[in-house]
């Protein structure tokens, strides 16, 4: 009976070194504006968890939500441009 380790070698062509590839790093870099906008929205929502929402808080949350929507729109537009091969 062969061990599982012996069976894995033919399946995995490249040894996993634990580091992200250049393609994965580029994907994270492309998504970074959306990630930062979502963090800002989360921060705004966390600030009002234990107190009543003031007008300033509501404005801060609304602006953060709008930044998230804009970042999502931009990310979707970039993905659409890549999928179409750059023909806009």
């Amino acid at each position: 009976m062969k061990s599982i380790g012996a069976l894995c070698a033919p399946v995995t062509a490249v040894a996993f070194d634990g580091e992200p590839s250049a393609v994965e790093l580029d994907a994270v870099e492309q998504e970074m504006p959306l990630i930062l906008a979502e963090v800002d929205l989360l921060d705004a929502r966390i600030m009002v968890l234990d107190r009543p929402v003031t007008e300033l808080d509501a404005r801060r949350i609304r602006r953060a939500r709008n930044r998230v929507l804009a970042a999502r729109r931009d990310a979707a537009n970039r993905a659409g441009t890549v999928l179409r091969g750059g023909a806009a």
Side-chain angles (χ1 to χ4, degrees), residues 64-87:
R65 188 180 305 125
N66 288 339
R67 282 192 298 270
V68 168
L69 292 175
R72 285 182 183 169
R73 180 199 59 220
D74 295 342
N77 287 340
R78 278 193 306 271
T81 302
V82 170
L83 290 177
R84 286 192 304 258

Side-chain angles (χ1 to χ4, degrees), residues 8 13 18 39 63 72:
C8 290
V39 167
R63 288 179 180 165
R72 285 182 183 169

Side-chain angles (χ1 to χ4, degrees), residues 5-80:
L7 296 175
C8 290
V11 175
T12 56
V14 179
F16 180 66
D17 63 354
E19 297 294 323
S21 67
V23 174
E24 292 169 333
L25 290 174
D26 288 340
V28 170
E29 186 69 30
Q30 291 294 321
E31 292 179 8
M32 191 54 67
L34 176 57
I35 293 168
L36 294 175
E38 288 177 341
V39 167
D40 289 341
L41 177 58
L42 185 61
D43 287 342
R45 288 181 174 169
I46 287 172
M47 287 185 353
V48 298
L49 281 178
D50 59 346
R51 61 185 168 95
V53 178
T54 64
E55 181 61 33
L56 182 62
D57 293 330
R59 206 176 314 156
R60 185 178 292 123
I61 291 171
R62 186 173 53 248
R63 288 179 180 165
R65 188 180 305 125
N66 288 339
R67 282 192 298 270
V68 168
L69 292 175
R72 285 182 183 169
R73 180 199 59 220
D74 295 342
N77 287 340
R78 278 193 306 271

